[in-house]
Amino acid sequence: MNASIQIIGMQEFIGFLGKMADKTHSIVENEVFKIASDFRNKIIQGMKDTPKNYEGTRRLRQRAKRIYHYPSFPGNFPAIDTGRLVGSIKISKEQEGVMLGSIQDNPKYPYYLDLRETVSLRRPWLNEPVKEWMPGANIESKIIEGLRREL
């Protein structure tokens, strides 16, 4: 002898769960996007606040139209003067998650500034700072807070 239980409205309930899953995914993605935006803003502020090396003409490089570029000290964020690097830092929602990175490819200096082998020439601005900020970002708690607020 078999017993069966029929739940009336089960199809509607399964549909509701599917909608909740979609909404939950959207909330998590938005919270991660906000965190990436905070990282982007910190990077840009770091570039604006970096100490410039004004000493010695050896470190001074002349650019076109008599615009002078004073580089930052090694180990600091790169010094900015044209805004191309800052303008290249983009955040996008991708299939695999939220991506934070630079789309600057001409010239390729963002890559070389961040990952140079020669320590005296390095100006880490993306990889190292984000790795340092990750533990203190409280990503999980911000996502849970977002879910509680929206659901």
Side-chain angles (χ1 to χ4, degrees):
M1 178 175 221
N2 293 329
S4 64
I5 300 174
Q6 181 180 6
I7 299 176
I8 299 173
M10 188 64 174
Q11 289 302 105
E12 290 84 5
F13 183 67
I14 290 172
F16 170 75
L17 290 177
K19 289 178 185 174
M20 286 299 291
D22 291 343
K23 184 174 182 176
T24 301
H25 180 269
S26 176
I27 293 168
V28 169
E29 187 178 62
N30 288 338
E31 291 302 315
V32 172
F33 193 85
K34 288 178 192 175
I35 293 165
S37 295
D38 288 344
F39 286 164
R40 179 184 184 276
N41 294 339
K42 285 182 178 184
I43 290 168
I44 291 170
Q45 194 61 49
M47 290 179 185
K48 290 179 179 178
D49 294 344
T50 195
K52 292 188 178 184
N53 186 355
Y54 294 111
E55 298 177 18
T57 56
R58 187 174 74 89
R59 301 288 280 160
L60 176 67
R61 290 178 280 169
Q62 184 175 357
R63 292 197 175 164
K65 298 182 184 177
R66 294 206 177 273
I67 297 172
Y68 293 97
H69 174 70
Y70 295 95
S72 61
F73 290 97
N76 289 315
F77 283 97
I80 54 172
D81 52 14
T82 64
R84 289 189 317 171
L85 180 57
V86 169
S88 77
I89 303 170
K90 303 292 183 193
I91 305 169
S92 63
K93 294 179 182 178
E94 305 287 336
Q95 185 69 20
E96 54 277 348
V98 176
M99 306 299 286
L100 168 65
S102 174
I103 59 167
Q104 184 79 24
D105 60 359
N106 188 13
K108 297 184 183 303
Y109 69 87
Y111 173 80
Y112 296 114
L113 287 171
D114 205 34
L115 301 173
R116 275 200 169 139
E117 297 284 325
T118 311
V119 175
S120 65
L121 299 175
R122 290 191 73 213
R123 306 306 194 272
W125 64 275
L126 182 62
N127 289 311
E128 286 183 26
V130 169
K131 285 178 188 173
E132 288 175 17
W133 296 330
M134 286 293 276
N138 300 320
I139 295 171
E140 295 87 1
S141 62
K142 288 180 180 177
I143 291 171
I144 291 169
E145 182 182 308
L147 288 168
R148 284 184 180 148
R149 187 176 54 246
E150 298 294 326
L151 293 179

